[in-house]
Amino acid sequence: SVSDEKLRERSLDPRLAFLLSLLDGASSVDDVVDMSTMPPLEAVRALHELLVEGVIEVVERLRKAP
C-alpha cells in the first residue's frame, strides 16, 4: 500500500477520500459499499481505482469456527 507521506502528497478526489475514510480494516467490501451511500457500481469502481493505484489492499477475513 501507499505510504502515509505519498498519500498526503496525492490529491484524491472527494469520493475516493470519503471511501478511504470508511476503510477500517475490519469491514467487508459490501459493508463499505453500503456505508458509502454511493450507487453500488460507482463505489465498487472507486474502490477498484484505489486498489489498482496501490492505495488499498484486500485482505482475507478470518472466519470464526462454527
Side-chain angles (χ1 to χ4, degrees), residues 4-19:
D4 289 343
E5 183 178 324
K6 285 186 180 183
L7 190 55
R8 279 190 283 275
E9 291 172 2
R10 187 181 185 284
S11 178
L12 289 178
D13 81 41
R15 70 189 173 88
L16 294 179
F18 176 64
L19 277 175

Side-chain angles (χ1 to χ4, degrees), residues 19-58:
L19 277 175
L20 197 55
S21 76
L22 297 175
L23 301 175
D24 60 9
S27 298
S28 69
V29 171
D30 287 335
D31 293 339
V32 173
V33 169
D34 288 344
M35 289 185 290
S36 77
T37 68
M38 299 167 79
L41 184 57
E42 181 181 344
V44 170
R45 283 183 174 156
L47 288 169
H48 182 260
E49 184 177 335
L50 291 169
L51 180 67
V52 168
E53 293 182 14
V55 176
I56 63 172
E57 62 185 4
V58 176

